[in-house]
Amino acid sequence: MAIGSGCVEHRLNHLARSTQPTPQSVIIELETKNFVLQPKFLISQLNRKSFSILIQNLGEHLIFEKSIFYKACCRDFPTALLNAKHRYSQIYHSFILAQFGQACTKTVRDSIQTLIREFQSASHQKSKKRMTIATQEKLQYNWKHVISLAGLHIGALFAFLPSNFNWTAVGLTVFMHWITGGLGITLGWHRLLTHRSFQTPKFVEYFLAFCGALACQGGIIDWVGLHRLHHTHSDQNAIDPHNAQNGFWWSHLGWMLYKGPAHAEIARCTKDISSDPFYQFLQNYFLPIQIVFGVLLYFAAGWPFVVWVIFVRLILVYHCTWFVNSATHKFGYRTYETKDSSTNCWWVAVLTYGEGWHNNHHAFQYSARHGMKWWEIDFTWMTIQVLEALGLASKVKLPAK
């Protein structure tokens, strides 16, 4: 029989606040209220706090991205379930059922299965609709990106003038490549902020984020959001901003020259950082930061340092990062069967401080370590180990052995 929504909300919210919920206690509560006959009510019956507490105690394996999962609105509960990641593998909808254990009766299992099927179908139709719209509509050029990227590449060409060559400038360029590309983009923006593979004190997190801003790869909130969307829709549809199925050129550089549909989804999956004032500052002022850095270099050391440490360094870090989107979906080998074309490519790993072991990363997105074999050298993982030894990194996530 049908039940009153207020009754369910009161009992389940009370359960979340007053106990440490277990799969059994939740199942008993749902069955007591004949709730299993109307699984859709679960979308709206829990307030945000109770939703978080219940899910947290139902199983830590369901946790992937706090921004997507913990902070999801009640109406997004099915989406949160479908997007939940198993700690040791890819997305498994069936794992949600297994999490309830043997106490899950046939009626409850059938209800949950029905719920999952309904929203799988809805998600598929929504994704299909987005793909159709993106395919039918001609993409518009992002002239801001076209002009800025062209200008930076032209500026880097001045390095070929003999008057601009300086060994000290070259050495500082290599050092800043590691600071901005290694510590900033790879360690900070990717493994720490995007995937939350480990935790650090806030001052370390902010330092790494600032180093990434010096790479001038756009706003930090946009960067994190687009990368999360890449993993959610990898090689599947237009919501993957650099879908490798569209060719090497598109995944390497072409996608940035157009206004794609993925940007409309960024706010939805960056709620964990979008309200932070420091990240808002980096999002809005990454370009002025770079200009100030260039001016300081000019007055401190001269034009050759601007050419090498700004223009050449930016272009080198750009293409190294872009190779992760392009080359590691085309060249190399696959250790794990994933639902995308990701590969492990040794030379990209060398250029990007370990990011080239991309197939490993897609198989274990939460993992702080990307090089899984002894010969898969991962300098960023080594850096995380050093931070952990110094007490500056904790809760480091790794695949099960």
Side-chain angles (χ1 to χ4, degrees):
M1 64 179 179
I3 55 174
S5 61
C7 181
V8 175
E9 181 177 9
H10 173 75
R11 291 293 296 273
L12 289 180
N13 289 332
H14 175 74
L15 176 67
R17 291 192 301 269
S18 61
T19 65
Q20 291 295 313
T22 64
Q24 292 79 3
S25 64
V26 174
I27 292 300
I28 292 172
E29 183 67 26
L30 296 184
E31 288 187 318
T32 300
K33 289 300 170 185
N34 201 22
F35 188 81
V36 297
L37 298 181
Q38 302 191 36
K40 289 185 179 180
F41 275 120
L42 194 53
I43 303 171
S44 59
Q45 296 311 308
L46 293 177
N47 61 40
R48 185 186 298 257
K49 180 179 179 181
S50 299
F51 168 81
S52 299
I53 297 174
L54 280 175
I55 296 304
Q56 180 179 11
N57 288 281
L58 280 178
E60 61 178 350
H61 300 298
L62 291 178
I63 301 170
F64 177 57
E65 296 291 356
K66 291 186 178 180
S67 62
I68 297 175
F69 201 76
Y70 275 132
K71 296 185 179 181
C73 295
C74 297
R75 55 186 169 79
D76 293 329
F77 177 76
T79 302
L81 283 181
L82 296 178
N83 287 337
K85 304 289 172 47
H86 189 300
R87 172 181 289 181
Y88 308 123
S89 190
Q90 289 292 306
I91 303 173
Y92 282 109
H93 301 153
S94 60
F95 177 77
I96 298 169
L97 299 179
Q99 191 65 40
F100 284 91
Q102 296 180 351
C104 186
T105 67
K106 185 178 186 301
T107 304
V108 175
R109 287 199 304 271
D110 291 344
S111 298
I112 299 175
Q113 286 174 334
T114 300
L115 181 66
I116 292 173
R117 282 196 298 268
E118 288 176 355
F119 281 90
Q120 279 180 318
S121 177
S123 177
H124 175 73
Q125 292 300 325
K126 186 176 181 182
S127 176
K128 186 176 181 181
K129 181 179 180 181
R130 286 174 178 168
M131 287 182 63
T132 302
I133 293 174
T135 302
Q136 291 176 347
E137 294 182 358
K138 185 177 180 180
L139 293 176
Q140 296 181 341
Y141 278 108
N142 188 328
W143 287 109
K144 181 174 66 175
H145 287 182
V146 172
I147 294 171
S148 61
L149 288 173
L152 288 171
H153 280 80
I154 292 172
L157 293 177
F158 281 90
F160 289 102
L161 294 177
S163 60
N164 287 330
F165 184 81
N166 182 297
W167 278 113
T168 305
V170 173
L172 185 56
T173 299
V174 174
F175 176 72
M176 288 303 298
H177 184 286
W178 172 64
I179 291 293
T180 61
L183 296 183
I185 297 298
T186 297
L187 180 62
W189 285 24
H190 187 209
R191 301 198 195 184
L192 176 58
L193 293 177
T194 301
H195 294 288
R196 299 294 182 184
S197 299
F198 61 100
Q199 293 183 11
T200 64
K202 213 62 178 179
F203 77 91
V204 176
E205 179 179 315
Y206 283 167
F207 170 74
L208 295 175
F210 182 79
C211 290
L214 287 176
C216 208
Q217 294 190 7
I220 186 172
I221 297 173
D222 289 343
W223 198 102
V224 170
L226 290 173
H227 191 77
R228 287 175 177 174
L229 289 169
H230 163 65
H231 278 281
T232 305
H233 303 274
S234 186
D235 294 348
Q236 296 177 21
N237 54 48
I239 307 302
D240 177 1
H242 38 80
N243 188 337
Q245 300 303 310
N246 294 331
F248 186 91
W249 164 255
W250 174 264
S251 59
H252 188 76
L253 172 60
W255 67 277
M256 287 178 285
L257 307 181
Y258 298 90
K259 297 178 180 179
H263 287 80
E265 305 291 325
I266 291 175
R268 177 178 59 82
C269 56
T270 55
K271 295 178 182 179
D272 59 326
I273 64 173
S274 60
S275 61
D276 188 303
F278 184 71
Y279 293 136
Q280 291 175 348
F281 173 77
L282 296 183
Q283 169 76 16
N284 297 322
Y285 297 102
F286 66 91
L287 185 56
I289 290 172
Q290 196 71 214
I291 293 173
V292 170
F293 184 35
V295 170
L296 292 175
L297 281 172
Y298 177 77
F299 285 106
W303 177 247
F305 280 77
V306 175
V307 171
W308 280 92
V309 183
I310 298 296
F311 290 100
V312 174
R313 187 258 311 173
L314 285 178
I315 295 304
L316 289 177
V317 175
Y318 280 173
H319 284 279
C320 288
T321 302
W322 300 343
F323 275 133
V324 178
N325 301 333
S326 57
T328 58
H329 281 261
K330 185 175 180 64
F331 308 110
Y333 60 91
R334 289 171 57 83
T335 303
Y336 302 97
E337 287 299 324
T338 58
K339 295 182 179 180
D340 50 62
S341 60
S342 59
T343 62
N344 293 321
C345 184
W346 70 268
W347 57 269
V348 176
V350 172
L351 294 174
T352 57
Y353 310 96
E355 295 289 82
W357 312 120
H358 202 53
N359 176 244
N360 298 344
H361 173 50
H362 271 256
F364 306 100
Q365 298 169 23
Y366 56 84
S367 176
R369 178 180 183 177
H370 290 188
M372 302 301 181
K373 307 294 184 181
W374 68 266
W375 67 83
E376 295 175 341
I377 305 301
D378 185 350
F379 291 110
T380 301
W381 165 236
M382 296 178 187
T383 304
I384 295 173
Q385 288 180 298
V386 171
L387 290 176
E388 188 175 26
L390 295 174
L392 296 176
S394 61
K395 297 184 179 180
V396 179
K397 300 177 183 178
L398 294 172
K401 295 183 179 180

